[in-house]
Amino acid sequence: MSKPVASGAVAESGSERQQASPPGDPSRPPVSRRDALRTLAGGAGALALVAGVGASGCRQTPPPAAAPGELPVADPVDVLLSDLGPDTRVIVQYGDVPVEVRRAADGTGVEAIALLCTHLGCKVVWKDDIDRYQCACHEGQFDVSGRPVAGIPTRPLWRVPVNVTATAAVIGGPAPR
């Protein structure tokens, strides 16, 4: 038993399915509403998956700054000077920000660099094979002093203030005078 169907619509009765021929190319089979919705739902799910995977390695926004080019102030972190050899890089957590602490290139002081890309706030890591910091998200690169040398970033990595005492480098707090 069939039901009257308007042009292009689908009617189902029991297990029998009827479909009227839509206007257009008769060689192409018509798409049912169910198939169209299934395709749209699958596409939306795939888009959500891609967006989630793309964002998983990036913070998407840099940490809130006190002023342009500055990191927020957090509780100071002490690093023993005896832990800072000539080629040693010590990573500490300064608030929510990973910070690398190392001896200055000239060997006279201590430097601290935030390991967050200035493009979108993704984590950067030092790559010995290329002598550069590299962003995990968009492969931006920074030289040993934190200046951008390749890729999307245009601003240098943030410097974190360091006060050196007799036994430790104090990371954060007020900048030395």
Side-chain angles (χ1 to χ4, degrees):
M1 172 177 351
S2 66
K3 296 181 182 178
V5 178
S7 177
V10 176
E12 295 183 27
S13 70
S15 63
E16 180 183 321
R17 186 173 174 189
Q18 291 181 341
Q19 189 160 0
S21 298
D25 185 1
S27 65
R28 293 181 61 188
V31 176
S32 71
R33 180 178 176 186
R34 178 178 292 155
D35 290 340
L37 290 174
R38 188 176 295 138
T39 300
L40 286 172
L47 182 61
L49 177 65
V50 168
V53 168
S56 65
C58 292
R59 291 176 63 135
Q60 297 300 318
T61 56
E70 294 182 5
L71 288 175
V73 176
D75 290 332
V77 178
D78 291 354
V79 176
L80 295 176
L81 293 177
S82 59
D83 291 342
L84 295 174
D87 295 321
T88 305
R89 297 170 182 276
V90 175
I91 298 176
V92 297
Q93 202 63 29
Y94 176 64
D96 292 335
V97 179
V99 172
E100 180 184 271
V101 183
R102 60 182 163 83
R103 294 277 180 181
D106 62 8
T108 60
V110 176
E111 298 176 329
I113 295 178
L115 296 178
L116 296 178
C117 181
T118 53
H119 172 232
L120 286 178
C122 302
K123 187 172 182 184
V124 298
V125 295
W126 177 256
K127 299 282 192 169
D128 281 324
D129 57 334
I130 59 174
D131 282 337
R132 293 182 177 175
Y133 294 98
Q134 186 166 14
C135 177
C137 295
H138 302 110
E139 297 185 3
Q141 295 180 356
F142 302 85
D143 68 11
V144 69
S145 61
R147 290 184 303 255
V149 293
I152 299 171
T154 58
R155 294 176 294 161
L157 296 175
W158 287 287
R159 296 284 182 165
V160 180
V162 178
N163 290 309
V164 179
T165 68
T167 59
V170 181
I171 311 306
R177 295 179 192 251

